[in-house]
Amino acid sequence: ALEYTVLNLNTAVNTAHGMLLRMIGEDIFFEIDLHPATLFVRTDSGQFNQVLVNLVVNARDAMPQGGNLRIETSNIALEQPLINRLVHLQPGDYALLRIVDTGKGMDADILGRIFEPFFTTKSKGKGTGLGLAMVYSIVKQSGGQIDVSSAPGTGTTFDIYLPLSEVEPKAEPEKQTAQRKTLEQLSGTILLVEDEDVVRDLAHRVLRDQGFDVLEARK
């Protein structure tokens, strides 16, 4: 279940930039190109970060010899419906999040199944096949739609369309701020279960820096 809030799409991407850089390695050139105007969308900020992480990790895995990764945002005003195999968008204003890689790409058979739960092309122990299914679910629950285009040897492009929100983000209540400060003072032991090595290592470092003892498990 998503805890909806209104967030600035550009700010969310910028905030995640450093975290994503640590995931992809030095052999991938990573750049972002953000729309100059503010793009407010209604989603769950934590789950939105999970969308970015899953798509960037997939792009990284598709470029084992290195390549280029690009994240773009833009404002799309549809005057006519946009309909294809995956999307059925009605006229309106949307924020577009585009993630483009120059990896090995996918053929038509794989493209037709990538959002199926437990479907994966990775070797045993390298993935559960839930990453893109989770991305699809989060985007749908946020009122958006996701499109993908790819072909062998040409890389992959994911397009996420989210309805623009006319409501600006609300200031964080003082009570929530106080609760967050209290949480930051907690300590204890956490069992961290994650099959992606890079994601698990990053989560371990973040939790450790907050004062927790962390036990790791792949599955």
Side-chain angles (χ1 to χ4, degrees):
L2 273 61
E3 296 182 7
Y4 294 101
T5 185
V6 177
L7 58 81
N8 183 339
L9 180 62
N10 290 339
T11 300
V13 173
N14 260 332
T15 301
H17 185 217
M19 171 186 68
L20 299 175
L21 268 176
R22 292 191 291 271
M23 291 182 174
I24 62 176
E26 298 179 354
D27 56 348
I28 295 176
F29 177 70
F30 182 27
E31 61 180 337
I32 59 175
D33 182 13
L34 303 179
H35 188 68
T38 302
L39 302 172
F40 292 127
V41 296
R42 184 173 179 269
T43 186
D44 181 304
S45 59
Q47 296 297 326
F48 177 78
N49 280 338
Q50 193 64 45
V51 168
L52 290 174
V53 167
N54 276 297
L55 292 179
V56 166
V57 167
N58 271 14
R60 178 206 65 193
D61 292 346
M63 298 183 286
Q65 307 304 320
N68 297 325
L69 173 63
R70 182 180 179 87
I71 296 181
E72 307 171 4
T73 62
S74 58
N75 186 353
I76 303 296
L78 292 181
E79 297 182 356
Q80 300 292 331
L82 175 61
I83 301 172
N84 62 26
R85 181 177 62 88
L86 290 173
V87 302
H88 195 304
L89 292 169
Q90 296 302 313
D93 294 323
Y94 298 86
L96 171 63
L97 173 68
R98 173 170 287 172
I99 299 179
V100 185
D101 69 61
T102 58
K104 56 189 177 182
M106 297 174 281
D107 61 29
D109 290 339
I110 294 176
L111 273 178
R113 300 189 61 191
I114 59 171
F115 295 120
E116 292 181 13
F118 304 110
F119 173 76
T120 180
T121 60
K122 297 178 182 179
S123 58
K124 187 176 181 180
K126 295 295 184 180
T128 60
L130 290 174
L132 288 178
M134 183 186 301
V135 167
Y136 184 87
S137 175
I138 294 169
V139 171
K140 282 289 189 180
Q141 289 185 75
S142 301
Q145 298 185 39
I146 183 169
D147 198 7
V148 57
S149 59
S150 184
T154 65
T156 301
T157 298
F158 282 94
D159 285 336
I160 295 176
Y161 297 88
L162 295 170
L164 281 178
S165 173
E166 297 179 356
V167 179
E168 296 188 10
K170 296 181 180 179
E172 186 178 53
E174 293 183 3
K175 182 178 180 181
Q176 290 186 12
T177 303
Q179 290 175 342
R180 182 169 298 173
K181 290 180 179 178
T182 301
L183 288 172
E184 290 174 351
Q185 298 169 358
L186 293 176
S187 62
T189 301
I190 291 179
L191 174 62
L192 172 63
V193 183
E194 171 59 56
D195 65 333
E196 288 283 357
D197 294 341
V198 175
V199 178
R200 188 175 65 255
D201 290 344
L202 176 62
H204 189 156
R205 288 200 301 271
V206 171
L207 292 169
R208 184 188 59 204
D209 291 345
Q210 293 297 320
F212 292 97
D213 295 321
V214 182
L215 303 176
E216 290 189 12
R218 285 181 60 92
K219 58 182 178 178

